[in-house]
Amino acid sequence: MGRMDDEQSAVDPTVAATAEAIATMEIRGAATIADAAAEALATQADHTAARSPAAFRDQLRTAARELYETRPTAVSLPNALRYVLRGMSGDTVTELQASTIARAEEFRTELEQAQDQLGRVGANRLRDGDVVMTHCHSTDALACIEAAIDAGTEVEAIVKETRPRKQGHITARQLREWGVPVTLIVDNAARRYLDGTDHVLVGADSIAADGSVINKIGTSGLAVNARERGVPVMVAAQTIKLHPDTMTGHTVAIEMRDEREVLTEAERADVTGDAPEEGLAVENPSFDVTPPRYVDAIVTERGQFPPESIVTLMRELFGETTREPWEP
Ligand code: RI2
């Protein structure tokens, strides 16, 4: 490749910065990741040095791949990339730029509207005086509480801190900003507090065709306990969380993150003491799978669904086939 070709195919630094921020979880949460990825593609289109339509398309696909490779579990990321790349059309670079930027904007607007709409649907499940238990931090789940508050419904929250990264703190902060009374508990205390809980409300990173919910590690244990206590489990997930590949039998990859999120180097030294280092393994799965029988409702912007029927919506929205986002 000559220097000119290099320049034309170079991915904009903004894309690399966004990819890095997603990988390190500075940008996190399935919907937020999707939004940031669409924005990065728009920036790529805007800043392009490509002089030919072929170079432009190539560059956008490379950018999409770089963003895609950051985190494997939340399907909102490839769904967002696919959506934007499908809107890339035109015979000149200028036309391609305009169509890609417009498509990314459309995606981001729809994402926001879907979350608002989902919130209104989910709020219908909440009654005055209800106590809601949350896990991790989900903007889709919080949209339901926000819509309930807007409708004049008063709720309280029991917020699980959610190890290892304690993202429950983000939820607690947001709920306090809205004036919702919050009780923060460690994850291990959840079962004890379920007797005083009216709803478990969580988000999702991906929803599989059989209605399984892939969400932050600890969700499945919470859902099993909730079923045992008779507390309904409500999953707030925009349709961008539906994982189309699972219609053809693929499973959702579960991200394994750095062990230092669980055990810092100093803590590790403390644990191993004089014993050999290599005998201590630390595993840090970020997500788990909650089978559909533990989920009462999946709340989307298209209404609420029993998990077993979600495949119907999935077919309607995605058809039967999917491809890697950068494939033409
Ligand atoms: P929203 C998060 O994953 C949590 O698992 C959360 O429930 C889910 O994404 C959905 O978040 P992570 O990125 O899209 O914190 O509802 O690992 O905001």
Side-chain angles (χ1 to χ4, degrees):
M1 236 194 233
R3 209 171 77 81
M4 191 69 93
D5 288 342
D6 275 347
E7 263 169 37
Q8 286 200 44
S9 65
V11 169
D12 193 79
T14 324
V15 172
T18 302
E20 173 71 9
I22 294 172
T24 57
M25 291 179 69
E26 189 189 316
I27 294 175
R28 54 147 294 280
T32 309
I33 289 170
D35 184 63
E39 186 184 22
L41 288 185
T43 308
Q44 175 66 52
D46 191 30
H47 294 183
T48 188
R51 305 231 174 76
S52 72
F56 180 93
R57 288 176 185 276
D58 211 42
Q59 209 176 58
L60 263 288
R61 279 187 210 119
T62 308
R65 194 177 301 120
E66 197 165 319
L67 292 160
Y68 174 75
E69 282 164 359
T70 52
R71 294 189 75 194
T73 304
V75 75
S76 49
L77 174 58
N79 282 347
L81 298 171
R82 210 176 280 125
Y83 185 96
V84 175
L85 291 195
R86 277 202 190 131
M88 180 169 74
S89 65
D91 298 325
T92 64
V93 171
T94 312
E95 283 172 14
L96 283 162
Q97 278 182 297
S99 63
T100 308
I101 292 167
R103 180 80 162 183
E105 266 166 24
E106 180 186 304
F107 175 82
R108 300 182 70 200
T109 307
E110 282 179 9
L111 193 70
E112 207 181 312
Q113 287 171 349
Q115 192 167 72
D116 289 347
Q117 179 57 22
L118 167 157
R120 286 190 286 273
V121 174
N124 289 330
R125 294 182 67 89
L126 306 178
R127 298 277 164 272
D128 220 25
D130 277 356
V131 176
V132 177
M133 186 183 285
T134 64
H135 182 69
C136 197
H137 169 256
S138 155
T139 55
D140 280 355
L142 282 173
C144 300
I145 296 181
E146 189 179 23
I149 297 168
D150 288 350
T153 309
E154 287 190 11
V155 296
E156 289 181 28
I158 296 174
V159 173
K160 292 178 73 213
E161 70 176 352
T162 318
R163 282 276 288 156
R165 295 179 68 111
K166 296 192 178 165
Q167 292 154 310
H169 290 189
I170 310 169
T171 302
R173 188 187 329 131
Q174 179 63 79
L175 290 172
R176 286 306 305 133
E177 273 173 27
W178 290 338
V180 175
V182 168
T183 305
L184 185 77
I185 58 168
V186 298
D187 297 311
N188 294 340
R191 188 163 177 272
R192 181 182 167 90
Y193 285 85
L194 276 169
D195 285 337
T197 299
D198 298 293
H199 308 267
V200 164
L201 170 59
V202 296
D205 293 80
S206 283
I207 306 273
D210 70 346
S212 294
V213 172
I214 295 85
N215 192 47
K216 182 61 54 179
I217 190 79
T219 304
S220 65
L222 175 63
V224 171
N225 278 334
R227 171 51 46 89
E228 188 251 345
R229 291 330 240 178
V231 182
V233 175
M234 153 181 184
V235 175
Q238 302 181 48
T239 54
I240 194 162
K241 317 283 180 66
L242 301 180
H243 201 305
D245 290 348
T246 59
M247 285 190 287
T248 49
H250 290 270
T251 51
V252 178
I254 301 291
E255 177 181 11
M256 300 298 286
R257 293 189 62 85
D258 196 302
E259 69 167 63
R260 283 168 297 190
E261 291 183 347
V262 176
L263 197 69
T264 62
E265 275 163 34
E267 284 169 333
R268 176 175 253 284
D270 203 36
V271 172
T272 48
D274 295 333
E277 257 284 309
E278 62 276 11
L280 177 69
V282 177
E283 298 257 313
N284 184 17
S286 204
F287 304 100
D288 64 20
V289 182
T290 303
R293 63 182 175 280
Y294 298 110
V295 176
D296 292 87
I298 297 177
V299 174
T300 79
E301 76 277 15
R302 299 285 208 109
Q304 60 168 341
F305 297 81
E308 293 81 4
S309 73
I310 204 75
V311 66
T312 314
L313 180 63
M314 218 179 250
R315 261 193 220 114
E316 184 191 321
L317 295 174
F318 293 96
E320 289 287 353
T321 58
T322 56
R323 279 177 292 197
E324 295 294 281
W326 45 86
E327 279 176 15

